[in-house]
Amino acid sequence: MTTTSARPTAVPSIEQLPQPELRTNTDIQGNVLAAFNKDFTDFRYLHFPDAAKGRGWLSAILNTVATTSETEDFNEQFSLARRAFGRDPALTAVRCGVSLTFDGLLTVAAEPEQLRKDLAAFTAFGAGAAARAAALGDTGDSDPKTWLFGAGTGEQVVHAVLIVAADTEELLTEKLKNLDAVEHAHRIGRVHVDRGRTLPGALKGHEHFGYKDGISQPGVKDFHREDPERKGFRDNRAGTELIEPGEFVFGHRSEQGDRKAPAWMKNGSLQVVRRLRQDVAGWNKAVADGVKEFTGTMDATRLGACLVGRAKDGTPLAPPGSTVTGLGSDRNDFDYANDPAGRHTPWVAHIRRTHPRAFAGVNDDHPKSHRLMRRGIPYGPAFTGGKDDGEDRGLMFVCYGTSLEQQFELVQQHWSNDPAFTPGDPKADRHVPNGFDKVTGLAGKAAIGLEDGTHGTVDLRRFVRTTGALYAFTPSISTLRLL
Ligand code: HEM
């Protein structure tokens, strides 16, 4: 095991490190590279009655759309003040982001036929989330027929997703009032609204099952600062490798060269929005009952952590990686190379399925091309324990990237839902079926065999169901101006 001691004084402080180029970008919308990170985040799914009204609304809200630069400036001021004063500073802001679905782009485009040609290679985006649902496991009670948005016809077709994010409920309400007036003036239809809210008290930063979320994010070259002590890794985030910005924003270098896209998509990004309802009482009961299926030392806390890959407070089950130095508070400095058989972090664990890190034995030429920039926030009231209270609660899952097929869809369809996928050494210890990601994958078995000999297989139904989903494009500010 390797640990870092205090930083030598010769190493520059964060303020002295060079400013990466993309941090000051004023064309890429906020939330793609720099998270809005707000406790109160509304999602509005909107319908344009016609091209003129859609364009009118877009030009009216253009000035409220946040840039990467202002979003990152705020985040940086916030974290510097927190470090200086040891508590959250009283800094507040409202940030907006807008994305257009394929139907939305076609509605406002000056030349829809050219747009269709431009997007011909973007198969998943053109088809839309509802058309891709069956392949992604959105069947049964997750079938698009049951969705609140994303599968409607006529006036229920979503053209735009507006994200309005604020640090306080008052700021959000005030901003929404202004936006209501703009929607009204342009006769914009509202298909649905979701209210994302961070959970209260000690659950802040956690999702509804109780696990800390938002820990592991990709590091981005030219956006995040590089660790002066460890080239290729992000400063101040132990173990976070920097990958090419073109993985998340069009028109920049990606891990495989350049992801091809027409010029108007430069500085834009593809967005996935999924409304994932969580059955917390069901999950809690299944985890408590599942303990009986194990031989050895197992309790609900340990089994839950095995299914997620981290304990509720975020501590990973993985021992520090063999090739990575440093320990962070939200530890992310591991790569599974020292755990090919899944004896620390089981193969079924959500974080191992969705980001297998060291691809020991897995045939993948571009392992860094499947990362997601996640921007989720819970919705609905916190679960207070006991029996199912019937409340609708879950996660507004949002992610950005430049390939729906290689990023979100690959992770959901193959890594989470394919029992044959082994995020470890395929030759090692195959006596048990690998199973499914039990947080977001299909119903079925999850086999776990741990270092201390504890082993067993739980057969679980699904506790997360999809209740709405969309694919959208988050254009650059300059492209928004041209629409
Ligand atoms: C990580 C929960 C849906 C992809 C995590 C973590 C938790 C979590 C607790 C660990 C904390 C962290 O590293 O940020 C959930 C819940 C979901 C959900 C409760 C649904 C209700 C999804 C979906 C995907 C996904 C739909 C993609 C298909 C990821 C990825 C990571 C992650 C890529 C980071 C893994 C790593 O780098 O170690 N999730 N998640 N999650 N999740 Fe989810």
Side-chain angles (χ1 to χ4, degrees):
M1 177 166 141
T2 45
T3 54
T4 36
S5 50
R7 215 162 232 224
T9 42
V11 175
S13 71
I14 187 169
E15 297 85 343
Q16 295 165 321
L17 289 173
Q19 181 83 327
E21 185 193 326
L22 283 172
R23 277 181 110 84
T24 52
N25 186 291
T26 52
D27 197 36
I28 303 169
Q29 287 197 44
N31 215 29
V32 177
L33 296 177
F36 284 161
N37 275 342
K38 303 291 182 210
D39 292 342
F40 303 87
T41 303
D42 270 24
F43 297 76
R44 289 182 166 190
Y45 311 97
L46 305 173
H47 176 86
F48 302 152
D50 57 43
K53 294 190 182 75
R55 286 187 203 128
W57 176 78
L58 280 170
S59 79
I61 60 150
L62 185 64
N63 285 341
T64 74
V65 175
T67 64
T68 294
S69 168
E70 64 191 302
T71 309
E72 187 53 26
D73 270 1
F74 180 93
N75 292 349
E76 185 132 315
Q77 274 178 32
F78 196 93
S79 54
L80 286 175
R82 178 153 52 187
R83 270 201 293 154
F85 305 115
R87 61 179 155 77
D88 283 356
L91 288 172
T92 56
V94 190
R95 298 282 180 248
C96 295
V98 68
S99 308
L100 297 166
T101 61
F102 184 63
D103 288 319
L105 281 171
L106 281 180
T107 305
V108 295
E111 294 177 56
E113 279 322 305
Q114 183 56 45
L115 188 101
R116 275 185 202 281
K117 278 189 206 146
D118 282 356
L119 291 172
F122 291 80
T123 317
F125 179 59
R132 311 285 280 188
L136 296 175
D138 284 337
T139 51
D141 63 5
S142 288
D143 189 284
K145 280 199 228 66
T146 67
W147 291 1
L148 295 167
F149 63 85
T153 53
E155 290 181 0
Q156 294 300 302
V157 172
V158 175
H159 290 143
V161 184
L162 180 67
I163 297 184
V164 191
D167 287 297
T168 66
E169 188 91 58
E170 295 71 33
L171 270 179
L172 179 68
T173 309
E174 196 184 309
K175 184 72 192 174
L176 291 176
K177 242 189 255 165
N178 299 337
L179 290 164
D180 283 347
V182 182
E183 272 170 43
H184 186 74
H186 296 274
R187 309 263 184 282
I188 300 299
R190 211 182 281 169
V191 177
H192 183 71
V193 174
D194 279 313
R195 299 193 168 82
R197 299 290 182 268
T198 49
L199 297 182
L203 282 176
K204 187 168 166 150
H206 295 233
E207 50 71 46
H208 280 287
F209 292 148
Y211 295 83
K212 189 160 184 201
D213 203 357
I215 300 172
S216 175
Q217 295 281 17
V220 180
K221 279 184 201 164
D222 302 333
F223 178 69
H224 293 121
R225 293 187 174 88
E226 190 172 54
D227 191 331
E229 286 185 303
R230 192 168 160 68
K231 294 286 165 215
F233 283 78
R234 187 176 164 188
D235 183 57
N236 209 23
R237 288 280 199 291
T240 301
E241 208 174 350
L242 293 171
I243 65 176
E244 298 288 353
E247 292 299 313
F248 308 104
V249 185
F250 289 108
H252 297 263
R253 213 195 127 66
S254 75
E255 290 295 327
Q256 303 173 49
D258 290 320
R259 281 199 169 132
K260 295 225 174 329
W264 57 267
M265 289 177 88
K266 185 179 162 73
N267 284 340
S269 184
L270 291 167
Q271 180 195 46
V272 177
V273 180
R274 284 167 83 73
R275 186 181 193 279
L276 301 174
R277 184 175 292 169
Q278 292 175 258
D279 171 3
V280 183
W283 164 274
N284 288 346
K285 182 170 182 327
V287 171
D289 291 350
V291 166
K292 293 188 222 106
E293 310 299 328
F294 285 82
T295 306
T297 315
M298 186 57 89
D299 61 17
T301 304
R302 192 176 191 198
L303 179 53
C306 282
L307 297 175
V308 173
R310 291 182 182 267
K312 286 195 168 171
D313 70 355
T315 308
L317 298 182
S322 48
T323 55
V324 180
T325 57
L327 294 173
S329 53
D330 290 323
R331 256 190 53 212
N332 207 23
D333 59 325
F334 51 89
D335 58 13
Y336 309 122
N338 53 7
D339 185 21
R343 300 242 175 250
H344 295 276
T345 311
W347 287 326
V348 290
H350 175 64
I351 67 161
R352 189 158 184 175
R353 300 301 291 237
T354 53
H355 179 202
R357 303 182 185 223
F359 280 66
V362 175
N363 180 18
D364 190 322
D365 293 341
H366 300 287
K368 294 182 206 159
S369 293
H370 314 300
R371 303 300 312 280
L372 315 175
M373 193 60 85
R374 291 177 300 132
R375 302 288 182 233
I377 182 166
Y379 73 87
F383 184 66
T384 49
K387 287 217 164 97
D388 187 9
D389 56 8
E391 291 282 355
D392 178 10
R393 58 170 65 82
L395 182 73
M396 292 308 306
F397 174 88
V398 178
C399 72
Y400 294 92
T402 46
S403 171
L404 293 171
E405 291 85 350
Q406 286 301 306
Q407 294 172 319
F408 167 70
E409 287 198 343
L410 181 138
V411 172
Q412 181 69 58
Q413 186 178 352
H414 297 295
W415 291 357
S416 288
N417 284 348
D418 181 356
F421 171 61
T422 306
D425 181 351
K427 291 188 288 302
D429 197 7
R430 294 297 300 270
H431 69 280
V432 285
N434 186 18
F436 301 94
D437 170 347
K438 295 315 309 159
V439 176
T440 56
L442 297 169
K445 294 202 167 103
I448 295 168
L450 300 173
E451 195 70 50
D452 64 0
T454 301
H455 65 276
T457 300
V458 273
D459 196 354
L460 302 177
R461 64 175 175 87
R462 294 171 82 169
F463 303 102
V464 170
R465 62 174 273 224
T466 309
T467 51
L470 279 173
Y471 291 155
F473 174 65
T474 307
S476 66
I477 307 281
S478 46
T479 293
L480 274 179
R481 204 166 277 138
L482 294 176
L483 284 171

